[in-house]
Amino acid sequence: LLVLNGTPIWLEAHLARLLNAAAALDLEIQPETVRQAVAQAVHGRSGTLRISLTRGATQTRGLSITGTSRSNLLLSMSARVPGPLFSPVRLITSRVRRNSHSLTSRYKTLSYIDNIAAAREASAKNVDDALMLNTDGRVACSTISNICILHGRVILTPDHESEGALQGITLHKIQTDVAPTLGLTFMRMAIEPEQILSADAVFLTNSLRIVMPVAELDSTPLNQGGAEAIAQIADGLCKSIKELSGADPRDEAR
């Protein structure tokens, strides 16, 4: 997650997602333990904070072992990579599919091999990221981001319960805080790949780069008729971040 002026942005939302996944995977952790560790790791700085939780030491080997009271919590702070936010990105459609029935699609885990393979596929073709479809051939996400398409004043995004998309924190903030103030309707649903080509605009969201317009998919230029709406969404998110931290991420990235 993003840290500005010592403030972890949307920490409680990230923490809630972590605790939800930990409960589902039978990992034990107390929320206050994480909060205290975050405060020590951040220590007034700006950058990128990574929080990882693993099962910890066990007395026996095997896949079916249950959780322990000694889970390992690892936090690392790194400098933010400088550069402009909201830069347009080019995508390819990856051959790697998201399994919408898998726990690794619904929870943010260290089982990341599919995303890594798709990202390397994109890099080999000299583009920025890869669109990942699910096993039913519908749109799921990119390797590191949620994906949204704009039709007029309606934002469509794959449903995280059924389509193999992670419940993104930035995406949730758009749904609950930004879209209502802009008069935008937000809908989670199944999306066919063809809908990307007919959209007014397409954009990606994640916690570090916030919002990224998609310029092309598989070498086909995409419509940019919704560019103003995307700019409004980005501005709303940056204002929210500035209210929390006193810093605008657009300034910090320069």
PDB file of all heavy atoms in Angstrom, residues 55-71:
ATOM      1  N   ARG A  55       2.075 -18.721   7.754  1.00  0.00           N
ATOM      2  CA  ARG A  55       1.553 -19.587   8.809  1.00  0.00           C
ATOM      3  C   ARG A  55       2.482 -19.681  10.010  1.00  0.00           C
ATOM      4  O   ARG A  55       2.050 -19.865  11.135  1.00  0.00           O
ATOM      5  CB  ARG A  55       1.276 -20.984   8.226  1.00  0.00           C
ATOM      6  CG  ARG A  55       0.505 -21.889   9.168  1.00  0.00           C
ATOM      7  CD  ARG A  55       0.090 -23.173   8.491  1.00  0.00           C
ATOM      8  NE  ARG A  55      -0.741 -22.921   7.322  1.00  0.00           N
ATOM      9  CZ  ARG A  55      -2.034 -22.626   7.371  1.00  0.00           C
ATOM     10  NH1 ARG A  55      -2.635 -22.501   8.539  1.00  0.00           N
ATOM     11  NH2 ARG A  55      -2.718 -22.434   6.266  1.00  0.00           N
ATOM     12  N   GLY A  56       3.768 -19.586   9.791  1.00  0.00           N
ATOM     13  CA  GLY A  56       4.697 -19.667  10.911  1.00  0.00           C
ATOM     14  C   GLY A  56       5.116 -21.092  11.210  1.00  0.00           C
ATOM     15  O   GLY A  56       4.809 -22.032  10.472  1.00  0.00           O
ATOM     16  N   ALA A  57       5.811 -21.249  12.326  1.00  0.00           N
ATOM     17  CA  ALA A  57       6.370 -22.550  12.694  1.00  0.00           C
ATOM     18  C   ALA A  57       5.268 -23.529  13.078  1.00  0.00           C
ATOM     19  O   ALA A  57       4.299 -23.181  13.742  1.00  0.00           O
ATOM     20  CB  ALA A  57       7.343 -22.386  13.855  1.00  0.00           C
ATOM     21  N   THR A  58       5.417 -24.774  12.651  1.00  0.00           N
ATOM     22  CA  THR A  58       4.495 -25.851  13.034  1.00  0.00           C
ATOM     23  C   THR A  58       5.299 -27.050  13.495  1.00  0.00           C
ATOM     24  O   THR A  58       6.489 -27.184  13.186  1.00  0.00           O
ATOM     25  CB  THR A  58       3.595 -26.260  11.857  1.00  0.00           C
ATOM     26  OG1 THR A  58       4.429 -26.715  10.781  1.00  0.00           O
ATOM     27  CG2 THR A  58       2.747 -25.090  11.379  1.00  0.00           C
ATOM     28  N   GLN A  59       4.656 -27.937  14.203  1.00  0.00           N
ATOM     29  CA  GLN A  59       5.333 -29.110  14.733  1.00  0.00           C
ATOM     30  C   GLN A  59       5.403 -30.246  13.720  1.00  0.00           C
ATOM     31  O   GLN A  59       6.228 -31.149  13.852  1.00  0.00           O
ATOM     32  CB  GLN A  59       4.609 -29.598  16.005  1.00  0.00           C
ATOM     33  CG  GLN A  59       4.598 -28.587  17.139  1.00  0.00           C
ATOM     34  CD  GLN A  59       5.996 -28.216  17.584  1.00  0.00           C
ATOM     35  OE1 GLN A  59       6.859 -29.080  17.745  1.00  0.00           O
ATOM     36  NE2 GLN A  59       6.240 -26.925  17.782  1.00  0.00           N
ATOM     37  N   THR A  60       4.533 -30.189  12.718  1.00  0.00           N
ATOM     38  CA  THR A  60       4.480 -31.282  11.752  1.00  0.00           C
ATOM     39  C   THR A  60       4.506 -30.730  10.333  1.00  0.00           C
ATOM     40  O   THR A  60       4.227 -29.563  10.100  1.00  0.00           O
ATOM     41  CB  THR A  60       3.198 -32.121  11.934  1.00  0.00           C
ATOM     42  OG1 THR A  60       2.065 -31.254  11.784  1.00  0.00           O
ATOM     43  CG2 THR A  60       3.163 -32.760  13.316  1.00  0.00           C
ATOM     44  N   ARG A  61       4.837 -31.610   9.390  1.00  0.00           N
ATOM     45  CA  ARG A  61       4.801 -31.259   7.984  1.00  0.00           C
ATOM     46  C   ARG A  61       3.464 -31.675   7.390  1.00  0.00           C
ATOM     47  O   ARG A  61       2.748 -32.482   7.958  1.00  0.00           O
ATOM     48  CB  ARG A  61       5.939 -31.959   7.233  1.00  0.00           C
ATOM     49  CG  ARG A  61       7.314 -31.408   7.555  1.00  0.00           C
ATOM     50  CD  ARG A  61       8.404 -32.276   6.932  1.00  0.00           C
ATOM     51  NE  ARG A  61       8.168 -32.521   5.518  1.00  0.00           N
ATOM     52  CZ  ARG A  61       8.534 -31.687   4.546  1.00  0.00           C
ATOM     53  NH1 ARG A  61       9.137 -30.545   4.853  1.00  0.00           N
ATOM     54  NH2 ARG A  61       8.306 -31.989   3.285  1.00  0.00           N
ATOM     55  N   GLY A  62       3.139 -31.116   6.217  1.00  0.00           N
ATOM     56  CA  GLY A  62       1.925 -31.551   5.532  1.00  0.00           C
ATOM     57  C   GLY A  62       1.076 -30.385   5.081  1.00  0.00           C
ATOM     58  O   GLY A  62       1.165 -29.276   5.619  1.00  0.00           O
ATOM     59  N   LEU A  63       0.244 -30.632   4.082  1.00  0.00           N
ATOM     60  CA  LEU A  63      -0.591 -29.576   3.510  1.00  0.00           C
ATOM     61  C   LEU A  63      -1.791 -29.248   4.360  1.00  0.00           C
ATOM     62  O   LEU A  63      -2.340 -28.151   4.275  1.00  0.00           O
ATOM     63  CB  LEU A  63      -1.058 -29.990   2.108  1.00  0.00           C
ATOM     64  CG  LEU A  63       0.036 -30.213   1.064  1.00  0.00           C
ATOM     65  CD1 LEU A  63      -0.593 -30.596  -0.272  1.00  0.00           C
ATOM     66  CD2 LEU A  63       0.901 -28.978   0.906  1.00  0.00           C
ATOM     67  N   SER A  64      -2.248 -30.190   5.182  1.00  0.00           N
ATOM     68  CA  SER A  64      -3.512 -30.000   5.893  1.00  0.00           C
ATOM     69  C   SER A  64      -3.343 -29.468   7.308  1.00  0.00           C
ATOM     70  O   SER A  64      -4.310 -29.412   8.069  1.00  0.00           O
ATOM     71  CB  SER A  64      -4.287 -31.332   5.948  1.00  0.00           C
ATOM     72  OG  SER A  64      -3.538 -32.313   6.662  1.00  0.00           O
ATOM     73  N   ILE A  65      -2.133 -29.054   7.670  1.00  0.00           N
ATOM     74  CA  ILE A  65      -1.920 -28.539   9.026  1.00  0.00           C
ATOM     75  C   ILE A  65      -2.735 -27.269   9.232  1.00  0.00           C
ATOM     76  O   ILE A  65      -2.972 -26.494   8.311  1.00  0.00           O
ATOM     77  CB  ILE A  65      -0.434 -28.253   9.291  1.00  0.00           C
ATOM     78  CG1 ILE A  65       0.143 -27.319   8.226  1.00  0.00           C
ATOM     79  CG2 ILE A  65       0.359 -29.538   9.374  1.00  0.00           C
ATOM     80  CD1 ILE A  65       1.566 -26.890   8.494  1.00  0.00           C
ATOM     81  N   THR A  66      -3.178 -27.059  10.463  1.00  0.00           N
ATOM     82  CA  THR A  66      -3.979 -25.881  10.791  1.00  0.00           C
ATOM     83  C   THR A  66      -3.074 -24.753  11.261  1.00  0.00           C
ATOM     84  O   THR A  66      -1.869 -24.914  11.412  1.00  0.00           O
ATOM     85  CB  THR A  66      -4.999 -26.213  11.876  1.00  0.00           C
ATOM     86  OG1 THR A  66      -4.297 -26.696  13.038  1.00  0.00           O
ATOM     87  CG2 THR A  66      -5.965 -27.293  11.393  1.00  0.00           C
ATOM     88  N   GLY A  67      -3.685 -23.605  11.532  1.00  0.00           N
ATOM     89  CA  GLY A  67      -2.921 -22.435  11.930  1.00  0.00           C
ATOM     90  C   GLY A  67      -2.267 -22.585  13.289  1.00  0.00           C
ATOM     91  O   GLY A  67      -2.580 -23.490  14.067  1.00  0.00           O
ATOM     92  N   THR A  68      -1.338 -21.691  13.576  1.00  0.00           N
ATOM     93  CA  THR A  68      -0.658 -21.679  14.860  1.00  0.00           C
ATOM     94  C   THR A  68      -0.793 -20.285  15.453  1.00  0.00           C
ATOM     95  O   THR A  68      -1.226 -19.346  14.795  1.00  0.00           O
ATOM     96  CB  THR A  68       0.840 -22.002  14.697  1.00  0.00           C
ATOM     97  OG1 THR A  68       1.488 -20.858  14.130  1.00  0.00           O
ATOM     98  CG2 THR A  68       1.059 -23.200  13.798  1.00  0.00           C
ATOM     99  N   SER A  69      -0.452 -20.149  16.697  1.00  0.00           N
ATOM    100  CA  SER A  69      -0.480 -18.833  17.344  1.00  0.00           C
ATOM    101  C   SER A  69       0.810 -18.073  17.085  1.00  0.00           C
ATOM    102  O   SER A  69       1.020 -17.001  17.616  1.00  0.00           O
ATOM    103  CB  SER A  69      -0.688 -18.999  18.860  1.00  0.00           C
ATOM    104  OG  SER A  69       0.358 -19.780  19.410  1.00  0.00           O
ATOM    105  N   ARG A  70       1.688 -18.655  16.248  1.00  0.00           N
ATOM    106  CA  ARG A  70       2.991 -18.043  15.983  1.00  0.00           C
ATOM    107  C   ARG A  70       3.136 -17.702  14.502  1.00  0.00           C
ATOM    108  O   ARG A  70       4.178 -17.944  13.903  1.00  0.00           O
ATOM    109  CB  ARG A  70       4.108 -18.985  16.438  1.00  0.00           C
ATOM    110  CG  ARG A  70       4.145 -19.201  17.945  1.00  0.00           C
ATOM    111  CD  ARG A  70       5.225 -20.183  18.312  1.00  0.00           C
ATOM    112  NE  ARG A  70       4.905 -21.534  17.838  1.00  0.00           N
ATOM    113  CZ  ARG A  70       5.750 -22.567  17.906  1.00  0.00           C
ATOM    114  NH1 ARG A  70       6.957 -22.394  18.393  1.00  0.00           N
ATOM    115  NH2 ARG A  70       5.389 -23.754  17.469  1.00  0.00           N
ATOM    116  N   SER A  71       2.103 -17.159  13.918  1.00  0.00           N
ATOM    117  CA  SER A  71       2.193 -16.739  12.523  1.00  0.00           C
ATOM    118  C   SER A  71       3.299 -15.701  12.365  1.00  0.00           C
ATOM    119  O   SER A  71       3.574 -14.920  13.275  1.00  0.00           O
ATOM    120  CB  SER A  71       0.857 -16.150  12.067  1.00  0.00           C
ATOM    121  OG  SER A  71      -0.163 -17.118  12.130  1.00  0.00           O
TER     122      SER A  71
END
